[in-house]
Amino acid sequence: PFSLTAEDGAATAPPALLAAADLVPSFRSPGSQLTPYEQEVLAQEEARLQVESRLRQWEMDNAHLPRHPAFDDARVARAPAADPIVGENIDFKVPNIQGNLCTDFTTITTEVKAVGTNGAVVVDLANPTDDPFTDPELQQFSDDFDSDIYAVLLANFDAPSDIDLNQRVFMVLTKEVNKVENAAGFVSSTDLNDPVSCPSSNEGEIFYGYVPDPADSYGTGARSHSGVVDNMPALIAHEVTHTIQQTRRLGSGFMSRWEAEGQADMAKELLGLSQRPEQLDQDLGASVITGAGPNDALYTQRFSRLGRYFGWDLGTDKIPEAPHNCSLFSYKDPTPSLQCTSAFYYGASWSFQRWVVDQYGTAYGGNDALTRDWIDLNPTLSGRANVEALLGVDFDDLFVQWAAMLYVDGRVPELPAELQMKSWNLFDIYENAFHESLKLKPVANQFQAFTEANSVRGGSTFYTELQPGGARGSLAIRLRDAADVTLPTTMSPRFWIVRLQ
């Protein structure tokens, strides 16, 4: 809780206005609204994020589990595994993501449908038969992994492990994922653990994905054929990034949830950029978001998820307590009325990491060097400690610059570099590609005496915009606790001001 109090001084004449040509135009278009298909995909994504957040937390809580013996450099040399063959049957143990991932699992029998250089696609023989994947679609998943996804992940995050020596990631498409409400896909570090300690381990690199089920066979949400097929490449890119993170850190300590998920969403963005002429550091705007191409799951969701952090309610309204009572750090909201569930931090974390890489990548030796080292240069550190060790910069200073950037990027002329998102123009994107309800909207106060009583969560920011109403004098502002008493030493507050005109 805090109180923000302003006391005004003697009235003076207002300064001369800037010339119109010096101002960034403000387009107050209503923006687009979601189609029923987009609503379906978004609902599934929201549920998947909360399931996945639980997985990442389970892994952190169980990081003590012994890794597979294949990670031991002193292991006895093993013969390479035989290549999977199209048409053969292979059994897999699918961990129960709602229980103990190490001991709770279901064994399924699959058929190999496509085998590529870096991946193999298999399908559960007991999947729903109403509108299933076609063989060409399954082959396309394999081709996409070989031609696009694996190359992007290798270049930016490094290669996953290969403890089963088959040189491939198995993509297991199974009804078991559909049995979890609105779930879409996941990976589990238990597949990289010693099977003696983790009976669910498949001793290999495995992605588990959902399957079309328009009839909602399990009462957990229908999955349309087109929705599953369209989302699959982005889903695979996101989840296999987690496998790489687990590979590089297993036995040392996992990344914090917000780091891991933000980076995995960056993998989707990088995959999208690899398929388009536009590149990073080009201040890309709304035309890229709304234009033709592979943009929805790869581009648009980055900003709709950030819109969730800004308070979008998935409809046409805003949650009034956002973003100041949501958080970058993925805390689930203890007050259900605030509706800041764990899914809110994905967009915030992606935008933070995108901004950091834009700011520091070149000086670090390349964006790809920075994203790789973020994973494993300091494998025993996570969260803010990991970021500070990586960059040698105070995290609180970074946080303030990022927080200010979220509102002013593209809005104010001639901003200093640290207040810009170099790869994307946030103002243009939210003004011209989205509905009003997705925008970051500060609480409005006049440039005169006022008292604003509110609260802000660790890992977030309260925004207010002072709007001039004619002649005004000086304004003194103090920030204290709810009783207008000096803030406690347990807080580490930062107070920032950016002049908009």
Side-chain angles (χ1 to χ4, degrees):
F2 69 87
S3 62
L4 188 67
T5 305
E7 298 178 353
D8 56 1
T12 58
L17 293 176
L18 290 172
D22 295 330
L23 300 176
V24 175
S26 177
F27 305 102
R28 298 299 176 185
S29 61
S32 59
Q33 298 195 27
L34 296 180
T35 65
Y37 167 75
E38 291 170 332
Q39 286 280 14
E40 173 204 330
V41 173
L42 191 62
Q44 291 172 358
E45 277 293 291
E46 286 286 308
R48 186 185 70 79
L49 301 188
Q50 297 194 41
V51 169
E52 190 180 44
S53 182
R54 179 191 177 278
L55 286 174
R56 301 289 83 79
Q57 187 61 50
W58 189 94
E59 289 167 350
M60 292 186 70
D61 294 342
N62 293 273
H64 61 280
L65 293 170
R67 61 185 183 173
H68 194 278
F71 283 102
D72 182 0
D73 290 337
R75 68 184 184 272
V76 176
R78 296 171 296 146
D83 288 341
I85 301 172
V86 172
E88 75 171 317
N89 295 141
I90 304 176
D91 288 347
F92 288 91
K93 293 174 285 188
V94 183
N96 179 1
I97 59 177
Q98 295 178 305
N100 185 315
L101 281 81
C102 209
T103 58
D104 301 339
F105 60 88
T106 299
T107 300
I108 63 172
T109 300
T110 70
E111 179 182 346
V112 178
K113 287 291 188 176
V115 178
T117 304
N118 302 297
V121 179
V122 304
V123 297
D124 187 340
L125 293 178
N127 281 341
T129 57
D130 183 14
D131 201 14
F133 290 121
T134 66
D135 286 347
E137 287 169 342
L138 296 168
Q139 183 63 53
Q140 190 63 54
F141 296 156
S142 177
D143 294 345
D144 288 343
F145 191 73
D146 276 345
S147 62
D148 297 322
I149 299 172
Y150 189 84
V152 167
L153 300 187
L154 180 64
N156 291 278
F157 306 114
D158 218 331
S161 58
D162 186 26
I163 62 175
D164 51 5
L165 293 181
N166 66 8
Q167 302 180 29
R168 293 175 178 84
V169 174
F170 271 107
M171 291 164 270
V172 179
L173 306 180
T174 173
K175 66 186 185 308
E176 298 304 313
V177 176
N178 294 54
K179 290 181 179 180
V180 180
E181 186 173 4
N182 280 324
F186 66 93
V187 297
S188 174
S189 63
T190 54
D191 282 321
L192 307 178
N193 287 133
D194 184 343
V196 175
S197 300
C198 271
S200 68
S201 176
N202 285 294
E203 302 182 74
E205 295 70 32
I206 316 292
F207 157 75
Y208 305 94
Y210 63 164
V211 297
D213 183 21
D216 191 11
S217 305
Y218 309 102
T220 56
R223 278 78 162 181
S224 70
H225 190 113
S226 59
V228 174
V229 171
D230 291 349
N231 192 44
M232 192 60 70
L235 180 63
I236 292 172
H238 180 105
E239 295 301 335
V240 177
T241 301
H242 288 317
T243 297
I244 295 170
Q245 295 164 346
Q246 294 161 357
T247 293
R248 315 314 296 183
R249 280 179 166 253
L250 195 67
S252 301
F254 291 112
M255 303 167 76
S256 65
R257 287 186 295 174
W258 69 266
E259 288 178 286
E261 298 300 354
Q263 189 177 74
D265 260 15
M266 187 184 293
K268 295 183 179 182
E269 173 200 27
L270 292 168
L271 177 60
L273 286 167
S274 73
Q275 301 171 17
R276 298 183 64 104
E278 300 90 359
Q279 296 300 313
L280 296 170
D281 296 331
Q282 291 186 356
D283 205 33
L284 306 175
S287 61
V288 175
I289 303 301
T290 59
N295 48 29
D296 183 54
L298 301 176
Y299 289 148
T300 308
Q301 283 182 13
R302 309 290 69 73
F303 300 96
S304 61
R305 287 184 181 178
L306 183 55
R308 291 288 276 147
Y309 177 67
F310 295 159
W312 180 39
D313 72 344
L314 300 181
T316 57
D317 294 319
K318 294 188 72 69
I319 298 167
E321 299 87 359
H324 46 282
N325 278 312
C326 301
S327 176
L328 169 68
F329 300 135
S330 74
Y331 302 139
K332 186 168 183 179
D333 198 330
T335 307
S337 63
L338 298 182
Q339 302 180 57
C340 289
T341 61
S342 56
F344 276 62
Y345 71 93
Y346 277 70
S349 179
W350 162 77
S351 70
F352 178 80
Q353 294 189 53
R354 164 51 54 216
W355 172 80
V356 167
V357 172
D358 281 356
Q359 294 290 322
Y360 292 91
T362 300
Y364 192 89
N367 291 359
D368 53 350
L370 179 53
T371 51
R372 284 195 298 268
D373 281 358
W374 196 310
I375 297 175
D376 64 357
L377 182 65
N378 304 289
T380 62
L381 300 179
S382 65
R384 57 180 295 147
N386 186 31
V387 175
E388 289 183 334
L390 182 68
L391 300 176
V393 178
D394 182 79
F395 185 89
D396 290 337
D397 291 342
L398 287 176
F399 185 90
V400 166
Q401 293 167 0
W402 165 73
M405 179 279 303
L406 289 178
Y407 186 67
V408 303
D409 178 60
R411 185 183 300 270
V412 182
E414 300 178 4
L415 280 172
E418 62 268 21
L419 297 186
Q420 297 181 48
M421 176 83 85
K422 297 179 182 178
S423 292
W424 299 96
N425 186 317
L426 296 186
F427 178 75
D428 180 51
I429 288 169
Y430 283 101
E431 287 293 316
N432 297 305
F434 289 107
H435 188 268
E436 290 279 335
S437 55
L438 278 79
K439 299 176 184 177
L440 172 57
K441 293 186 177 181
V443 173
N445 279 292
Q446 294 297 308
F447 203 101
Q448 60 191 29
F450 67 85
T451 297
E452 177 71 47
N454 217 302
S455 62
V456 63
R457 173 167 295 177
S460 198
T461 302
F462 177 84
Y463 296 81
T464 185
E465 183 173 350
L466 303 187
Q467 301 176 345
R472 60 186 183 276
S474 58
L475 199 68
I477 298 177
R478 65 176 179 270
L479 175 64
R480 293 185 173 181
D481 70 9
D484 200 23
V485 177
T486 303
L487 292 166
T489 57
T490 53
M491 294 181 64
S492 180
R494 296 292 190 274
F495 184 81
W496 57 264
I497 303 173
V498 176
R499 179 171 174 163
L500 303 180
Q501 291 186 10

